[in-house]
Amino acid sequence: MEKLSSTGSFGGRVERYKHASATLNCDMEFGVYLPPQADTGPVPVLWWLSGLTCTDENFMQKAGAQRLAAQLGLAIVCPDTSPRGTDLPGEHDDWDFGSGAGFYVNATQAPWDRHYRMYDYVTKELPALVEANLPVTGQRAVSGHSMGGHGALLCALREPERYASVSAFAPICHPSDCPWGVKAFSHYLGDDRNDWRAWDATQLLTDVDIQLPILIDQGADDPFLGEQLKPGALEQAAICAHHPLEIRLREGYDHSYFFVASFIDDHLRHHAKALGLIASAD
């Protein structure tokens, strides 16, 4: 790990690192917020997965999460959203596919399968690296926004034993049935829709044994709500599976980080409670 920067924030530090990823076959950068408690001992981690076009920096700069994270003693790790520097054919042509749009799946189709294995990167390689080199514990929570909300739901539904809690802001809930998801899955996973099921939260939700309660905030004025995000599909699946799910529709809010910043404290407290940190909050 090469440290790229370190900046003080509410008694802790916002840091950026670079490393060579064996999973993605390229160099990757990621961001970390270490609260002041990390100076005296390891702290739990909230893994934040960002959305389309984002990098590891969007959340750290726009969400305003550091103040409460410092009070709670909660670290935050922000991976990037796709491999970088691979320059595959067509990788940079569209904002909703390829660069910045890894969709947190393990690609099976060439040429994407050599690099686009974001699920293994954010659930295995990067956690192992962070937990071995930074003052954090193996206690994990996961959250994200939009495509990253889809990623957070995948992590919690595919491997719920790895996480204490899950939440999401405006997640892509049913990617097999929305233009963003169909475009990405067709390229990364192939045309057989049976292979998509393992990467679709709405379809996965009916099969899980460990049911982590899901908290979702969704802006009522989100322009992507009906066509792309489809929270109603996830809600219906949760009802059928008796899976605990809370979706809060927020009037007057859209898809932006103004929306995320408005409710991020609720999500931090949701995770802090599951991680046993809530007594540290005011």
Side-chain angles (χ1 to χ4, degrees):
M1 284 172 39
E2 174 190 354
K3 185 183 289 188
L4 301 176
S5 64
S6 181
T7 304
S9 180
F10 297 101
R13 303 185 306 280
V14 174
E15 300 183 340
R16 294 188 73 230
Y17 290 89
K18 180 178 181 179
H19 75 109
S21 169
T23 300
L24 305 180
N25 289 300
C26 64
D27 288 342
M28 294 293 288
E29 296 176 358
F30 65 94
V32 181
Y33 177 66
L34 293 173
Q37 294 87 342
D39 290 339
T40 56
V43 296
V45 177
L46 171 63
W47 287 83
W48 175 269
L49 306 183
S50 293
L52 292 166
T53 75
C54 290
T55 70
D56 62 286
E57 295 188 282
N58 293 74
F59 179 84
M60 289 294 186
Q61 295 178 0
K62 296 181 177 181
Q66 290 92 335
R67 182 191 296 272
L68 184 56
Q71 296 177 23
L72 294 168
L74 179 64
I76 304 172
V77 176
C78 297
D80 204 345
T81 52
S82 77
R84 301 289 176 175
T86 59
D87 294 326
L88 298 173
E91 184 179 23
H92 311 306
D93 291 352
D94 299 314
W95 67 271
D96 57 355
F97 174 75
S99 182
F103 263 84
Y104 303 102
V105 302
N106 288 337
T108 58
Q109 304 299 300
W112 312 101
D113 56 344
R114 175 167 168 75
H115 299 286
Y116 278 69
R117 301 185 61 80
M118 287 297 295
Y119 181 80
D120 279 355
Y121 177 69
V122 301
T123 62
K124 297 177 177 62
E125 183 182 25
L126 190 56
L129 183 72
V130 168
E131 290 165 16
N133 290 279
L134 295 175
V136 300
T137 71
Q139 291 179 281
R140 311 178 194 95
V142 63
S143 187
H145 172 229
S146 193
M147 179 187 72
H150 145 78
L153 294 176
L154 283 185
C155 292
L157 293 171
R158 287 173 62 97
E159 300 184 75
E161 68 281 358
R162 291 181 60 86
Y163 302 95
S165 53
V166 58
S167 73
F169 288 82
I172 302 172
C173 294
H174 195 11
S176 298
D177 190 36
C178 77
W180 285 341
V182 170
K183 182 176 183 177
F185 284 10
S186 297
H187 285 83
Y188 297 144
L189 304 174
D191 292 328
D192 187 346
R193 291 185 175 234
N194 291 322
D195 296 333
W196 300 4
R197 178 183 176 86
W199 306 102
D200 186 308
T202 293
Q203 295 178 291
L204 281 170
L205 190 141
T206 59
D207 298 331
V208 296
D209 294 324
I210 303 173
Q211 295 185 328
L212 293 179
I214 300 170
L215 172 64
I216 291 175
D217 272 309
Q218 171 63 59
D221 294 349
D222 190 324
F224 306 117
L225 176 56
E227 183 180 27
Q228 302 284 10
L229 305 180
K230 299 181 179 282
L234 186 71
E235 186 172 31
Q236 286 302 310
I239 291 170
C240 292
H242 305 287
H243 193 114
L245 167 67
E246 181 181 7
I247 299 179
R248 306 187 297 195
L249 193 64
R250 301 294 193 174
E251 296 294 335
Y253 290 89
D254 60 11
H255 198 71
S256 70
Y257 263 89
F258 295 114
F259 159 60
V260 173
S262 297
F263 303 106
I264 189 63
D265 284 3
D266 286 352
H267 288 243
L268 294 180
R269 291 190 176 97
H270 167 78
H271 297 297
K273 181 178 181 180
L275 292 164
L277 299 175
I278 197 63
S280 300
D282 293 334

